[in-house]
Amino acid sequence: MATVKVSRDTRATYDVERVRADFPILRRRVYGKPLVYLDNAATSQKPDAVIDAMDHVYRETNANIHRGVYLMSEETTALYEDARAKIASLINAPDPAACIMVRNATEAMNIVAYSWARRNLKSGDLIVGTILEHHSNLVPWQQFAKQIGARYEVVDIDDDYRLRRDQFEALLAKKPKFVALTHVSNGIGTINPVAELTAQAKAAGATVLIDGAQAVPHMSVDVQAIGCDFYAFSGHKMIGPTGSGALWGRRELLESMPPFLYGGDMIRRVTLKDTEYNELPWKFEAGTSDYVAAIGLGAAVDYLRRIGLDAIHQHERELTVYALERFDELKGVRTFGTRELSSRAGIVSFEVEGIHPHDLATLIDREGVCVRAGHHCNQPLMDRLDVPATTRASIYLYNTPAEIDALIAAVRKAQQVFA
Ligand code: C6P
């Protein structure tokens, strides 16, 4: 399959060295070699702006939110709610109150499984997923279906690693109640046409959840244009802190759902007989939130918007094309994923003949290059590809062509070791 070429004229405007200067960790060395961080699908590095925003809270304003009537609590609450507004605006959510702050995408998807699905699905109902799902958007549905006697069926991929639309449509003809679908595959980088798929699923009467964990960090996302009912993502993959993320949902759905967790902050009035719940979004934010992480995520959103999600996406696309071209030069190497660029994110999973992915990743690491080896929480996808695991390089806004060269050189060196 031929690699699709893209124009490289944004190179002039995208100043990757300037971006890199904002990420202090990129200055470190590993094994005496410059760090080449290519495990961005697992988690991303953090710029000074995010570290400083969190440092500021701990040094200047730290106090529990929504509880104190004193200045510091009010300041921290304002920073937290301001972060929520930024996060909502990033995905063009119509209403920040429908943007629930969570610890990560996994928690977001479990909220939908526990609060929405338990109330709205019953025995015999059909839930549709895809073979591309990360375990966190597969296991909750598979297990939930088992518990209530519902059916969970998945859409396969075609020879070009893209979802089989014929199969999706055949499943929709069975009138599923729910569709759980990833925006971008973390295993092989397929970008799903989520707006089209959502429109079809909604026309068939399904409620739609999109897992945006690998999309929001890398491209412009507009939940209104997609038309889905729920959209989930993690902060740590988008240069924000661990312990941050969001679940956006349609207000009317969130209002009809019971809380996921019970405790402080999610209540309006408690008596020994009963509890009246708080309004959105706090009904779903029981206990002391990781408000410092959320504030850090707000700073990450500011940073990403300053660079521009479209510019980041284009930069990653150019690097992906470059990486695929360079991989094609290597003998005994197979890359997974479509070469159709409009459907391809900056995730390059590959296997090298005669070298187990874990051995390969260990040797690559010795050259200062961080990649992930394993099933990437995609075991059904690995089974489908008929491989036990892959080695995976995943690209982000601070990566450079020289780093791709370092990866390729490290793979060559590993091949020599095993020759
Ligand atoms: N994928 C990877 O290396 P959490 O762990 O909740 O922040 O994100 C879960 C998750 C959900 N959906 C997709 C598409 C993901 O890629 C991930 C996390 C990492 O690919 C860690 S397994």
Side-chain angles (χ1 to χ4, degrees), residues 11 14-27 34-51 214 217-218 235-241 300 303-304 307-309 311-317 319-320 346 368 370 393-404:
R11 284 261 156 87
Y14 191 90
D15 190 346
V16 70
E17 290 307 326
R18 236 177 113 181
V19 170
R20 291 178 68 78
D22 293 330
F23 289 78
I25 206 168
L26 298 180
R27 295 195 276 278
L35 167 69
V36 174
Y37 187 78
L38 286 169
D39 193 18
N40 295 289
T43 199
S44 60
Q45 301 304 345
K46 321 302 171 199
D48 286 319
V50 168
I51 299 167
Q214 299 293 351
H218 305 282
H236 69 96
K237 294 184 199 291
M238 49 187 288
I239 71 170
Y303 186 94
L304 291 174
I307 307 290
L309 267 304
I312 291 168
H313 191 53
Q314 178 68 8
H315 173 72
E316 292 178 14
R317 207 168 245 193
L319 278 183
T320 307
C370 307
S394 48
I395 291 164
Y396 207 8
L397 76 168
Y398 36 64
N399 291 125
T400 67
E403 291 185 310
I404 301 297

Side-chain angles (χ1 to χ4, degrees), residues 41-42 104-106 109 134 136 182 184 186 211 213-214 234 236-237 372 377 392:
N104 50 41
T106 304
M109 291 180 289
H134 183 278
S136 67
T182 193
V184 174
N186 66 309
D211 171 1
Q214 299 293 351
S234 289
H236 69 96
K237 294 184 199 291
R372 183 171 172 187
C377 301
R392 184 191 68 183

Side-chain angles (χ1 to χ4, degrees), residues 269-276:
R269 167 103 183 106
V270 181
T271 65
L272 285 180
K273 283 220 162 64
D274 207 355
T275 294
E276 193 188 325

Side-chain angles (χ1 to χ4, degrees), residues 31-354:
Y31 305 112
K33 310 213 163 93
L35 167 69
V36 174
Y37 187 78
L38 286 169
D39 193 18
N40 295 289
T43 199
S44 60
Q45 301 304 345
K46 321 302 171 199
D48 286 319
V50 168
I51 299 167
D52 292 349
M54 297 171 74
D55 187 77
H56 170 79
V57 177
Y58 281 131
R59 287 181 191 282
E60 302 289 338
T61 77
N62 185 42
N64 208 332
I65 53 170
H66 301 145
R67 287 157 171 85
V69 289
Y70 55 93
L71 180 66
M72 289 204 326
S73 175
E74 281 169 1
E75 283 172 349
T76 309
T77 301
L79 288 171
Y80 178 74
E81 293 303 336
D82 198 36
R84 185 196 311 279
K86 289 174 186 175
I87 293 158
S89 155
L90 180 74
I91 56 166
N92 196 28
D95 176 5
C99 208
I100 314 299
M101 305 294 239
V102 294
R103 285 181 303 134
N104 50 41
T106 304
E107 182 175 78
M109 291 180 289
N110 275 279
I111 290 176
V112 181
Y114 279 88
S115 291
W116 183 86
R118 256 172 227 285
R119 180 151 292 196
N120 290 283
L121 300 185
K122 58 181 188 325
S123 169
D125 283 346
L126 174 62
I127 300 169
V128 169
T130 86
I131 193 72
L132 293 174
E133 300 314 307
H134 183 278
H135 294 164
S136 67
N137 200 26
L138 188 158
V139 182
W141 304 111
Q142 177 198 61
Q143 292 303 309
F144 174 71
K146 275 183 194 290
Q147 286 159 18
I148 68 157
R151 290 167 296 146
Y152 176 66
E153 293 185 33
V154 300
V155 185
D156 196 7
I157 45 171
D158 61 21
D159 291 343
D160 195 32
Y161 306 93
R162 290 187 278 179
L163 284 184
R164 279 189 49 186
R165 298 291 289 268
D166 59 326
Q167 239 185 37
F168 184 63
E169 283 157 26
L171 284 173
L172 291 186
K174 296 188 196 172
K175 299 283 172 213
K177 288 278 168 47
F178 190 74
V179 172
L181 171 71
T182 193
H183 195 156
V184 174
S185 155
N186 66 309
I188 52 174
T190 308
I191 303 176
N192 288 321
V194 283
E196 281 174 35
L197 298 172
T198 299
Q200 287 180 298
K202 300 284 293 175
T207 297
V208 179
L209 161 68
I210 311 271
D211 171 1
Q214 299 293 351
V216 179
H218 305 282
M219 61 189 73
S220 297
V221 169
D222 180 336
V223 291
Q224 295 187 65
I226 294 171
C228 56
D229 298 293
F230 298 103
Y231 196 97
F233 55 101
S234 289
H236 69 96
K237 294 184 199 291
M238 49 187 288
I239 71 170
T242 48
S244 67
L247 170 69
W248 172 79
R250 282 187 196 282
R251 179 178 258 281
E252 63 277 17
L253 294 184
L254 292 172
E255 269 172 354
S256 72
M257 287 157 54
F260 174 45
L261 294 173
Y262 297 88
D265 223 22
M266 50 72 65
I267 56 92
R268 178 173 287 144
R269 167 103 183 106
V270 181
T271 65
L272 285 180
K273 283 220 162 64
D274 207 355
T275 294
E276 193 188 325
Y277 305 137
N278 207 339
E279 61 195 42
L280 291 176
W282 307 296
K283 180 172 94 174
F284 290 102
E285 295 179 2
T288 298
S289 310
D290 194 342
Y291 54 86
V292 182
I295 292 164
L297 181 55
V301 169
D302 285 341
Y303 186 94
L304 291 174
R305 289 190 118 171
R306 223 166 26 244
I307 307 290
L309 267 304
D310 291 341
I312 291 168
H313 191 53
Q314 178 68 8
H315 173 72
E316 292 178 14
R317 207 168 245 193
E318 290 168 10
L319 278 183
T320 307
V321 170
Y322 183 63
L324 292 172
E325 285 170 356
R326 295 290 333 262
F327 269 114
D328 287 346
E329 293 167 10
L330 299 176
K331 289 210 169 53
V333 174
R334 170 182 176 206
T335 58
F336 299 90
T338 179
R339 296 288 176 110
E340 173 52 56
L341 275 187
S342 59
S343 302
R344 177 63 186 258
I347 289 174
V348 183
S349 257
F350 58 98
E351 67 172 1
V352 177
E353 219 175 277

